[in-house]
Amino acid sequence: MTLKIATWNVNSIRTRLSHVTTWLQENPVDVLCLQETKVIDQDFPRSSLEDLGYHLEIFGQKSYNGVAILSRTPLQSVSLGFAPIVGATLAEDFDDQKRVITGIYAGIRIVNLYVPNGSAMGSEKYEYKLRWFKVLYEYLKILQHSPVLPASPSILICGDFNIALEDIDIHDPTGREKQVMATDAERLALRSILDLGFQDAFRKFTLEGGHFSWWDYRAAAFRRNLGWRIDHHYLTPDLYEQAIACTIDKAPRSLEQPSDHTPVIVELEVKL
DNA sequence: ATGGCAGTTCCTAACTGA
């Protein structure tokens, strides 16, 4: 059985609703992870997506951030934010920003993340991003090893990471040492996560640069392919072995009034 | 060094994003 799981930062689900429904009709994935929904839960446009046959789990807030998971069958063991997993002390105030949602689909623990942007190197938001990663690290360690959570050694982390891990993930890495999304500290923070035992699904199939998932709205960046690859699928070894494709669908970025990100899809060949 | 574009709200200005 082939499972298709996609991630897409839609930059407002209400503004992008027609793009998402059209895309799902043409790309009936099993699971779609959304970021930057930018809407409180009571105003989330549920019915338009449920009418397409999807179950929804949402974790939103007003104006900013917000994550959601759409799935063909209901998720199990759903958890919103850091606190239910790591506890209130470690979570501090990090759940004030709705950036983390997880659930189990077909035995796979799916973790959908909207990583903080970081604004600029050295800024308060940049420090927040790095501290956020420390909490994420503890969160994932618990998901991997908790004796109380449902057994799920298979974990897929996806979402908008706001980090380009390698220079080939940036159209022009000149000066990247001081550029947010590419600084050494951010890359090290992401590496520490991967060192828990995750591999980049996209790089199983594509080794060269020039493949991006986000293009700035300004300066005709998309037309000139001046992009960054910052939306990722990271897999535990068993899932990495089962991955048969990982693709970036640039089509939605070409539409009128697009999100600045475009979907990334991973296909897994799993045993029933 | 800056802005460039887009979405949101305390909505025609200010913020956040990346």
Side-chain angles (χ1 to χ4, degrees):
Chain A
M1 176 181 65
T2 303
L3 271 184
K4 292 189 182 183
I5 297 165
T7 180
W8 191 2
N9 178 323
V10 290
N11 188 16
S12 170
I13 185 59
R14 288 180 291 183
T15 297
R16 224 64 62 201
L17 185 57
S18 68
H19 287 197
V20 174
T21 54
T22 300
W23 189 82
L24 281 173
Q25 285 170 315
E26 295 171 356
N27 303 271
V29 294
D30 298 280
V31 177
L32 175 60
C33 294
L34 301 176
Q35 304 88 34
E36 279 211 89
T37 53
K38 292 187 170 179
V39 65
I40 57 175
D41 292 349
Q42 68 183 71
D43 292 342
F44 196 100
R46 280 184 164 275
S47 56
S48 304
L49 300 163
E50 288 169 343
D51 288 350
L52 295 175
Y54 287 95
H55 297 260
L56 271 63
E57 297 291 347
I58 60 180
F59 191 41
Q61 70 180 87
K62 190 166 70 173
S63 306
Y64 304 116
N65 310 312
V67 285
I69 304 179
L70 283 55
S71 55
R72 282 279 169 212
T73 59
L75 298 179
Q76 309 299 318
S77 187
V78 173
S79 184
L80 310 177
F82 285 134
I85 305 296
V86 305
T89 305
L90 268 180
E92 298 181 52
D93 296 329
F94 283 104
D95 286 340
D96 290 351
Q97 301 183 16
K98 312 310 184 195
R99 298 179 175 278
V100 179
I101 186 169
T102 183
I104 295 178
Y105 184 88
I108 300 169
R109 166 67 68 183
I110 293 171
V111 179
N112 176 20
L113 302 176
Y114 175 46
V115 174
N117 165 270
S119 186
M121 192 180 181
S123 68
E124 199 170 300
K125 291 191 174 73
Y126 181 81
E127 299 303 323
Y128 180 92
K129 182 178 193 173
L130 296 178
R131 287 190 292 115
W132 190 91
F133 263 100
K134 289 187 166 35
V135 185
L136 177 65
Y137 182 87
E138 299 302 324
Y139 173 88
L140 293 172
K141 264 205 313 193
I142 293 169
L143 287 186
Q144 283 181 312
H145 299 118
S146 169
V148 295
L149 290 166
S152 54
S154 307
I155 302 178
L156 178 154
I157 317 171
C158 69
D160 174 2
F161 284 76
N162 272 320
I163 294 175
L165 199 55
E166 300 180 286
D167 287 354
I168 58 170
D169 296 322
I170 312 173
H171 66 87
D172 178 8
T174 306
R176 68 97 190 150
E177 292 86 353
K178 295 184 176 179
Q179 171 64 46
V180 72
M181 301 195 293
T183 66
D184 288 337
E186 290 167 275
R187 288 181 174 180
L188 280 169
L190 181 48
R191 286 276 178 215
S192 74
I193 299 301
L194 301 186
D195 286 346
L196 289 170
F198 297 94
Q199 290 167 278
D200 184 343
F202 187 77
R203 288 290 175 223
K204 178 174 179 180
F205 308 100
T206 306
L207 295 179
E208 77 278 8
H211 299 276
F212 309 123
S213 64
W214 171 82
W215 299 261
D216 200 306
Y217 283 121
R218 299 163 293 190
F222 181 66
R223 181 178 58 72
R224 301 157 66 198
N225 198 28
L226 305 180
W228 293 56
R229 195 175 72 89
I230 56 177
D231 300 87
H232 307 295
H233 290 274
Y234 293 125
L235 311 177
T236 47
D238 55 324
L239 296 179
Y240 189 81
E241 182 68 27
Q242 293 173 338
I244 56 174
C246 185
T247 55
I248 298 170
D249 183 1
K250 290 173 73 170
R253 188 64 177 79
S254 307
L255 300 172
E256 291 294 312
Q257 284 196 289
S259 168
D260 42 355
H261 297 251
T262 211
V264 184
I265 307 97
V266 65
E267 290 182 46
L268 308 173
E269 185 63 39
V270 298
K271 298 175 209 130
L272 268 176

